[in-house]
Every structure is written in structure tokens, then in C-alpha cells.
Amino acid sequence: MILEVENLRIEFAFDGKVSVPVRGVSFSVPKAGRTALVGESGCGKTLTALAVGSLLDRAKISGDIKLNGRVAYVFQNPMQSLDPVMRVGKQIEEGMEKGLSRDARRAQMEQLLESVGLPRECARKYPCELSGGQQQRVMIASALAQSPKLLIADEPTTALDVTTQKEVLDLIRRIADEREMAVLLITHNLGLVSRYSDYVNVMYAGQIVESGAVKSVLSNPRHPYTKGLLAAVPRIDAPRDAPLVDIPGTVPPPWAWPEGCAFHPRCPQATKECSSPLFKKCPCLTDYEQF
Amino acid sequence: MNGSLLEIENLSVSYRGEDGSVFTAASEVSLSLNRGESLCIVGESGSGKSSVAMSVPRLLPSPPAFWPQGRILFDGKDILAMSPKELRSVRARRIGVVFQDPIGSLSPLHRIGDQLAETLFLHCDVSRSAARATALEWLHKVGIPEPEQRLKAYPHELSGGMQQRVMIAMALMLGPDLIIADEPTTALDVTVQSQILSLMRSLVGKDSALLLITHDLGVVAKMASKLAVMKDGRVIETADDVSAFFANPSHPHSRALVAEARKMEL
């Protein structure tokens, strides 16, 4: 395994109150494997990802994170991650090992640009001179400059249009294959998971509610939350007047997560037991071997 | 009333750069939209779809934008030939716009309720308390929980989905004939997207029309009564029957888009 997360708990204290946005998350990413964390915003996916690279300040973290190699990130909004006043070539070089000669850095940088499908001339440009897709390619190049064993791609294409989205994801997949690099894909769109991951963990309210091989989870989702997420993806072949299946409402903030199954107020299949403090496991999952 | 609510005739949209160079974002676009219809314009980024859509309420800053040719007939009157005063009244009362990025469209310094009430104040002859009551009613209509409290909230205190609901309320509260929505759900979670699309579907009625810009063909399938595909500034295909289009797109680029979207589906 390149990454093993055991019972991760992330706690923040503010205004004298304690908030636990991640509560007991366990999952792993095999060497050169492709794993996804899926769920709505506010479920703790990004916090989990940030904890892996020790990028969280001011949080109390417990549990176990075993990371066997370097990790690099690609985030949703490249304009927020890139320095607007530094040429992109320089930004890519920044992540490289110290002690390389200037020429070596430059050569490596140009090679990286090429491998993400950008012309060398891009090195002299500023981020604002590039399109969103190109910016995201720069982000990928600068992540690769660190020679990571694990790439965490956190909603890497949400801000891009479909064609660009596919290009960027295909690029990540190709590069990951070539370099035997593992990818942890974080997304709210189960539609992407089928194409770009082998194993999926569905997260709700700071916990993983369902996990398994992508094929079996997508073709046979058990948890009502997974079902709802799947139904929310608009499909071409759905008739226009088909009733819309919505998961009502939104993820409550961590300090308002209900007792019992956190999903029960939004769940169409919830029973009395689901709101009980003694709730252990979703009854829809009972005949399902997992964890 | 004869003719379409919106008739875009042979429209080109260009931008003049500071050095005098001209970039044409859309060429010879013709589209029509009637009450009760939802027209989706689909295309990749850079295809010119937003330039066309934002020309309708003339929300493109001009300069640099200009319209070398064509007309935009709204209820028979050419928007491109309107005086600023006429334009202002059409924009406010008859065309509602929902943008992709709600936080960029709402003022960060004013409470939600005040921003909604301002829209009413500026364009209708209403008292402060009536404006407040209408604002409250609309927050309720767009499905915002605890609307009384939310009136006092600032935009950053709301989630992205809630902000977009406020934008929709703002765009619809004056009862516009035409609603223009430019990628209204692109920044949102799939679950929230689904809720917002349902909401828009329920609020756009027989007497109004929706012009929706999207890159997501799944959204088109859910929302459109007709569609236009744009590429490199031109309309390459239009269809009045959306399911027939998906079954058999005629332009090679449309075929590629549909094939791609199908591949991304499960």
C-alpha cells in the first residue's frame, strides 16, 4: 500500500466549541492504484486529503496515516494554487529537488511541460495568459516535479468544461500509468469514478458509508446515499419529463450532524432505528461484506 | 402577439483589443425562442455561447465588445438599437440573468434581504415593507430554509447552492419573460445541481422562456425543449427535438460531443 489511513479523526476547536468534521475514516490506496473519495462538499473529503500530506494547521488529528512515498496535490481551482506573478516555468521548477543545476532544472521543466501536453513556450507565460485547462496542466506538471508516488487530485476538473475535463483526467491517468504513480481522486461526481478509479469510498458527514470495487458499487449501490448520488448525475438518455430524484437538502455543518446515521434526515429509506444513538450500520448494507 | 419572444438574427459578436486587433467570438448566429420554451446552447468553452447569451441583455462591456452585424429582437424590438433607458427597463423587468458564480454576482457587503429588496425598490413602486415581504416570499419559493433568518445573512454565510438560489430569486422576482442562465450549476455539487435544475424547471412557466448555457449534455437532456450546438463562434446544429438529437446528432462535432458524454456516463 502506498497509503493507509486508519481511523482518522480530525478535530477543530473554535469559540470554545469542538467540531469533528472527520470521524473515524479508514481507507487505503494500493501502489500505483486508483482510489476515489466521493461525496458532497462538506463531507470531509478535502480535510482527509489534506491530513494525508500533513497540510492541516490548528487541527487535532488522531488515527494512523501511513504514507510510503511522496505525495503531491492538484486542486480544483488552478488560479488559486498558482502564483499569479510568477512565470509558470519557474513555478514548476520550484517543486524540484534542491541541488539540481539550473540547466538540469530547466531541462526537466521543459520535459514536464511536454509530458502534460504544453508547448515549451508556455514556460515564459504567466498563469493568467493560459486557459483553465492549460493552468490545470501546469498544476499537474508542478505536482510531477516533486516525483510523487501518490497524486491527490481534489476535484481537479470541476471548473473545466467537459472536453477539457476529459483531457485533464485522461492526462492524469496516462501519466499515472507511465510513472506507476497512485492516484487518489476526490470528486462529488460518481460519473467520473467509473472511468478513472478502481476502488471507491463514499463519504458522508465525516465517515465512509460505503466502499468497494468501483464496478460493484456503481452497478449495485447499497447505501441510500450512494444511490442518491448516482441518481443526481444528469443523463443524456433520461426522458425530459422523468421525475427528478433529488437527495433533499444539503450536508449540515459538522456541529449539527445528527445522532444515529448522519444521513437519516435526508434518507428516503430511514426508519426509527436510523436516528437512534445506538445505530451502528445502515440496514441497507447488512448483507454486504465491507470494511 | 406575433413572432418569437426572442429572435437573434445573423448576430456577430466581436471584441476590439487595446491594440486595435479584432477578435470575433460569434459569427452569424441566428436563434429563436418562444414563450414556454427552454433553449439550451451547448458548446465547449470558447465556442462563443456566453458571448451570444450575454449580448441579449447587453451585459458585455462595450467597448471592448461590439456587434458588427445582426439584430437581437426582443418582443420585436432590437435590443442593440435601444437607448440606455429602454435597455435598463428591459434588463431589469423583462430579462432575468443567473450567472455561474453567485459569489461574484452578489455584493459581499449587503445582507441578502437588502439586496433582494433593492431590486424591487429600483424597478417597482413599492414600499420598504412590501419589498421585504416579497423578498421573504421568494426566499421561501426558492427553497431556502428559515428564510426570515436568511434575509439578514450576508452572502458568504450561505453555501454555494443557497447563494445560487438567492440569485435565482433575484432574477425571477420581477417576473421576467426571459430568463438567461449561464452555467448556473457548474460550480455546484451534483446533488445541489439536481435540486437547482428542478427548481428552475418548476419556476419557468408557460409564459416565460429560458435560455440556458451549459457544457453538460446531461443538463440539456433534463432541461431543454430545443437546443443549439456552437463551435468556434458558429451555430453548427439546432434541434427542436432533443431526444432525437441525442439519438442521431447530425454534425460530426455534435456526434463527438454526444459520444464523449455517453462515455463519461456510467
Side-chain angles (χ1 to χ4, degrees), chain A residues 188-285:
Chain A
H188 65 263
N189 189 346
L190 266 175
L192 296 182
V193 169
S194 64
R195 221 174 126 93
Y196 298 102
S197 299
D198 302 317
Y199 202 83
V200 59
N201 302 280
V202 182
M203 232 178 138
Y204 188 77
Q207 292 167 329
I208 289 174
V209 295
E210 181 166 10
S211 59
V214 164
K215 272 194 189 125
S216 70
V217 171
L218 294 192
S219 60
N220 188 18
R222 309 281 178 119
H223 198 284
Y225 183 60
T226 315
K227 288 183 187 166
L229 278 182
L230 270 170
V233 180
R235 285 152 193 283
I236 290 181
D237 298 315
R240 180 160 174 260
D241 48 9
L244 297 158
V245 194
D246 292 340
I247 301 181
T250 47
V251 187
W255 51 89
W257 284 341
E259 280 208 316
C261 168
F263 186 58
H264 84 263
R266 303 173 73 194
C267 180
Q269 280 156 266
T271 62
K272 239 192 267 153
E273 286 75 57
C274 297
S275 57
S276 151
L278 301 172
F279 172 88
K280 280 255 156 43
K281 191 171 172 185
C282 179
C284 306
L285 291 171

Side-chain angles (χ1 to χ4, degrees), chain A residues 8 10 12 21-22 44-52 56 59 61 154 254:
Chain A
L8 175 68
I10 302 176
F12 289 96
V22 174
K45 314 185 295 288
T46 296
L47 283 176
T48 302
L50 293 175
V52 168
L56 288 174
I61 297 175
D154 188 352

Side-chain angles (χ1 to χ4, degrees), chain A residues 40-41 161-163 166 188 190-192 194-195 229-230 232 234-237 240 242 244 246-249, chain B residues 44-45 186 188-191 193-195 198 201 215 218-219 221-224 246 260-266:
Chain A
E40 292 164 279
S41 349
D161 69 65
V162 184
T163 325
K166 180 179 168 285
H188 65 263
L190 266 175
L192 296 182
S194 64
R195 221 174 126 93
L229 278 182
L230 270 170
R235 285 152 193 283
I236 290 181
D237 298 315
R240 180 160 174 260
L244 297 158
D246 292 340
I247 301 181
Chain B
E44 298 170 23
S45 36
T186 303
L188 305 174
D189 272 355
V190 277
T191 46
Q193 160 168 286
S194 179
Q195 294 167 11
S198 313
R201 238 164 67 162
H215 64 258
V219 171
K222 210 163 185 174
M223 301 295 287
F246 283 127
E260 206 48 68
R262 274 194 214 284
K263 244 195 269 171
M264 297 291 276
E265 286 190 351
L266 312 169

